[in-house]
Each structure stands twice: as C-alpha cells, then as structure tokens.
Amino acid sequence: MCVQIKLGTSEILSIIGALSGVGSVVFNIFQWYSQKPKIAVSAAIMRPLIGDSLGDEVICVEILNARPRPVQVSFLYFTTCFMQKEGKMWVRNAGLPKILHEAEGVQAQIPIEVLNGKKLDDIFVNDALGNVWKVSSKEIEAINNKLYAKG
C-alpha cells in the first residue's frame, strides 16, 4: 500500500518556515553561549621597572576579558594554605572595579610580604555577575616553587 501526499505551495512554505525558525533558535542559543563572560586570569612573580631600576619582587596578576561582551571585574583576592579559617585577603588599589572590553586587560600587584611566609593557595577574581575566576594551579605551584626555592 502506497500513500501519496500532495504538498501545495502553502505546505511547502510552512515546512521551510518551521525549519528556518528552528535554525534561528539554535543559532541564537549558540550566540548566547559564546557571548557569556570569560575572564582569563594569570599570575607570575615579576620585578616591576620603577624609573631606571628594578623594584622588589611582586606577584603580578593579569586579568583579561576573553570574550567580545564587556565585563566588569569587581574584586581580586587570594588565600594562603593557612587561611581556611581566617578567610580571604582582599587586594586593594588594584584598579578595580573596572569594565574590561574585548581583549582589554588590567594588571594588579600583590606584594610578597603580605603572604607572611605562607604558601599561596589560590588567587581569585570576581566579576559583577558573581562569577569567580581563578589562577591555574600550575601557575600557583610555579609561584610557590620560586618563592620557597630561595631558602
């Protein structure tokens, strides 16, 4: 038994409309997902150049907007291995809060003395939407190795 389906112009156009509507929804979901905020946070020990001479070593934290949509970076803080009960150490005068546009970044410095000889556990950045971004554990390990390899 063979069933024949006759499709007129209006049926064909309605199928095309439905398919293009579904395609549009999928495209909008993809665009929404790719526009979500993403911040790249990295850190390393550096000696800043002050005039013609090198300053004391600091932990330099670079915060970069990795997506096209602007994002407001609100806070920068860190924890040490012994601070679980004490809480977080907020970094002041880091140029925050700041709105970062596409591929724009900001740098902050953490003086090594504020660690008080304790190993660095994590460095975090908060954005205005409540997202928390952190420095990779490899970079934290490299900072701790450099700090405590000196003696």
Side-chain angles (χ1 to χ4, degrees), residues 6-22:
K6 279 189 147 184
L7 294 176
T9 306
S10 62
E11 287 85 5
I12 292 173
L13 290 176
S14 65
I15 291 171
I16 291 172
L19 292 176
S20 66
V22 169

Side-chain angles (χ1 to χ4, degrees), residues 75-78 83 88-92 126:
F75 303 107
L76 170 66
Y77 60 95
F78 67 92
M83 289 179 69
K88 306 164 186 166
M89 179 72 84
W90 300 95
V91 179
R92 303 283 183 217
N126 281 37

Side-chain angles (χ1 to χ4, degrees), residues 32-53:
W32 172 79
Y33 181 75
S34 67
Q35 297 273 327
K36 288 173 76 174
K38 182 176 181 186
I39 296 174
V41 184
S42 61
I45 294 180
M46 297 185 176
R47 295 184 77 144
L49 186 62
I50 302 171
D52 292 335
S53 61

Side-chain angles (χ1 to χ4, degrees), residues 9 27 47 49 55 84 99 113 127:
T9 306
F27 180 73
R47 295 184 77 144
L49 186 62
Q84 274 71 24
I99 296 174
E113 300 81 43
D127 67 14

Side-chain angles (χ1 to χ4, degrees), residues 79-82 115 117-121 144-145 148:
T79 59
T80 63
C81 292
F82 302 103
L115 296 176
K118 300 172 185 166
K119 289 181 86 175
L120 188 62
D121 193 30
N144 284 327
N145 288 342
Y148 298 105

